[in-house]
Amino acid sequence: MNDNMKTKFGFFMAVFVFAAILFCGCGKKSGRTLTSATGTIYECLVVMNENPLTQDEISSLKQPSLYGNGSAYDEPISTTYDLVRSVMAAPMPCLPQMEDYFQLSHVSIAEFDDFLKATRNILIVDLNPDRYTQAKCTCVRDNWSTPQAVCRIQAPSQEAFVAYWNEFGTAIRDWFVKQEIDRQNKFYRNMTNQEARTKLQNKWGCDMLICEDYMLIMDTTVLLNDEKVDFLWCCNSKGPIRRDLVLYRYPFRDADTFTPEYLNAKRDLVLGQLVTAQLEGSHMGTEYDIFPPQFRALSVQNNAYAAEIRGLWLILDGENMGGPYVSHSRVDEYGQYVVTAEVFIFASGQKKRNALRQAEAMLYTLKMPQELNALDEVVVDKDSVE
């Protein structure tokens, strides 16, 4: 084989290998072939031209700096990209160190080529007075790759975009967060701890996609302040980051049960008794002074009582340990219980955003007995019609 033939043979082999890799990474949706998305979780590509804001536009902003009102980090918003970054890359609440909601990359409209279109999360801002008469936003999934989330904002002017982002920027960021949570839960559907899930189903009448990497380490019922509390604890201690999932339930009293004060006190009581550390007398607590827990109501299928709390946990009277936690509290309408599911992580010297978000995704799979019963009724009705 001469040198010319060797060169041609090497070229065709390279093309063949590239095509094989591309084919293996493809999926199909609506008759189209999609490549696998590039990038990692909670990364987002922002496609927009960066222009300076006018003084009037700066005056209209909800917050004057990239990190929010009253932040120790004083970096003023002065361009359109700064405005987007102040929301998409804002610091996540209740983490012990500053970590952004999303890690951003930025290119101009002209730089957005076919290679970049495979990115996992893409936010496009297109300003064109000749094409658009009002600001609007379109969000789609799996447009150029899979899994992918693409949000395109179109506006006739910079002024219109600034007004639109001021009103809807946080909602757009939350949409991207939801896409990441949904992707994680698709993964959990194929990797569940059946032992823990069965105990939850049989004893509580609830269901949850508990990841198979979480080992069941406690399933008990205790009496606290003359009130019966059921408690289930799973732990994933693989690698440098420890992840814990706890679920506990207790009788539902009235609307006052779903106040921040009541839920925080119940957390301190239950976890303070049942989650202990190596040193005798040490136990789980909640950080209230520096980073107080943040409470927000959740909207869950017309359930009037649903709440999320984010905060920092710490070990009291013992080791110097702590980290972030997230809890969801719901009502079992059949048994009249409050059910709280919480994830907390310990990652000394590690970044915590991605680990917490991945664990947090399980909380969104929690189903109450009334929801499971409603699903059964739908199946029965469908069968009866057929």
Side-chain angles (χ1 to χ4, degrees):
M1 185 181 291
N2 59 38
D3 292 340
N4 187 42
M5 291 180 65
K6 289 181 179 179
T7 300
K8 289 182 178 179
F9 180 78
F11 170 77
F12 285 118
M13 282 300 295
V15 172
F16 175 80
V17 171
F18 174 78
I21 293 173
L22 184 63
F23 178 79
C24 290
C26 293
K28 286 191 174 181
K29 185 175 178 66
S30 302
R32 296 185 296 128
T33 300
L34 300 175
T35 62
S36 296
T38 60
T40 61
I41 61 175
Y42 294 96
E43 287 185 352
C44 183
L45 173 66
V46 179
V47 182
M48 66 182 299
N49 297 328
E50 185 171 16
N51 302 314
L53 297 176
T54 66
Q55 192 57 50
D56 288 342
E57 289 167 346
I58 293 174
S59 299
S60 71
L61 302 182
K62 295 180 179 179
Q63 61 182 51
S65 77
L66 290 172
Y67 302 103
N69 298 323
S71 172
Y73 301 88
D74 186 16
E75 190 174 338
I77 297 172
S78 59
T79 68
T80 48
Y81 177 61
D82 285 346
L83 179 59
V84 170
R85 188 156 59 105
S86 69
V87 175
M88 293 295 295
M92 268 190 63
C94 298
L95 288 180
Q97 72 271 4
M98 183 176 287
E99 294 186 60
D100 301 340
Y101 271 93
F102 283 89
Q103 181 179 338
L104 300 185
S105 301
H106 174 221
V107 296
S108 67
I109 296 290
E111 295 170 321
F112 185 50
D113 56 19
D114 289 341
F115 176 77
L116 294 175
K117 287 179 180 178
T119 306
R120 181 185 184 94
N121 299 304
I122 305 175
L123 172 61
I124 303 171
V125 178
D126 185 13
L127 308 182
N128 192 325
D130 297 327
R131 298 182 60 185
Y132 313 123
T133 58
Q134 61 182 3
K136 71 172 186 177
C137 177
T138 304
C139 295
V140 297
R141 302 178 186 88
D142 299 345
N143 191 57
W144 293 295
S145 65
T146 182
Q148 185 183 55
V150 179
C151 184
R152 183 188 296 270
I153 301 174
Q154 300 168 335
S157 66
Q158 181 169 294
E159 181 182 12
F161 164 68
V162 170
Y164 188 88
W165 187 260
N166 268 335
E167 184 172 0
F168 299 108
T170 300
I172 291 171
R173 182 190 67 200
D174 291 345
W175 182 80
F176 278 106
V177 170
K178 184 179 184 302
Q179 306 317 302
E180 292 286 12
I181 289 173
D182 289 347
R183 293 165 189 163
Q184 188 67 39
N185 286 336
K186 286 181 181 179
F187 172 77
Y188 286 150
R189 289 190 189 104
N190 299 318
M191 290 186 59
T192 58
N193 181 327
Q194 200 55 48
E195 179 190 10
R197 190 176 179 187
T198 299
K199 286 182 178 294
L200 197 61
Q201 292 168 340
N202 293 341
K203 186 175 179 179
W204 300 34
C206 301
D207 195 11
M208 187 179 196
L209 299 181
I210 301 174
C211 181
E212 67 179 6
D213 288 338
Y214 286 69
M215 181 186 302
L216 179 63
I217 60 175
M218 185 181 294
D219 175 28
T220 188
T221 300
V222 296
L223 196 65
L224 300 177
N225 289 352
D226 297 324
E227 190 172 70
K228 188 178 77 169
V229 177
D230 295 315
F231 185 79
L232 188 144
W233 184 1
C234 299
C235 173
N236 178 355
S237 57
K238 297 178 180 178
I241 299 178
R242 172 176 171 138
R243 304 163 174 88
D244 288 86
L245 166 70
V246 293
L247 295 103
Y248 53 95
R249 70 171 184 173
Y250 51 90
F252 172 71
R253 303 300 184 191
D254 51 41
D256 290 337
T257 300
F258 273 76
T259 62
E261 295 77 14
Y262 189 95
L263 293 175
N264 286 332
K266 188 64 71 172
R267 178 186 191 274
D268 290 338
L269 174 65
V270 176
L271 300 191
Q273 290 286 332
L274 296 172
V275 178
T276 59
Q278 293 182 351
L279 189 64
E280 184 177 356
S282 61
H283 58 93
M284 171 73 77
T286 306
E287 167 60 53
Y288 290 105
D289 297 330
I290 300 175
F291 295 106
Q294 295 190 7
F295 172 96
R296 74 180 179 107
L298 295 177
S299 176
V300 183
Q301 296 188 358
N302 299 321
N303 191 324
Y305 300 106
E308 174 191 272
I309 295 181
R310 292 179 178 274
L312 295 177
W313 64 271
L314 71 167
I315 293 297
L316 301 175
D317 302 326
E319 296 93 330
N320 184 21
M321 297 177 62
Y325 75 87
V326 184
S327 72
H328 285 188
S329 294
R330 306 273 303 282
V331 171
D332 169 3
E333 296 177 359
Y334 286 3
Q336 289 297 293
Y337 290 106
V338 177
V339 177
T340 295
E342 176 181 316
V343 292
F344 58 91
I345 69 170
F346 176 68
S348 179
Q350 306 283 327
K351 291 188 175 181
K352 301 168 179 60
R353 179 195 65 193
N354 288 359
L356 181 65
R357 285 295 199 189
Q358 287 174 317
E360 177 188 350
M362 286 188 292
L363 303 182
Y364 290 89
T365 69
L366 178 63
K367 298 294 184 184
M368 294 291 99
Q370 64 268 15
E371 295 172 290
L372 296 174
N373 186 68
L375 291 174
D376 291 340
E377 290 175 352
V378 170
V379 172
V380 169
D381 290 343
K382 179 181 177 182
D383 291 341
S384 63
V385 171
E386 294 178 347

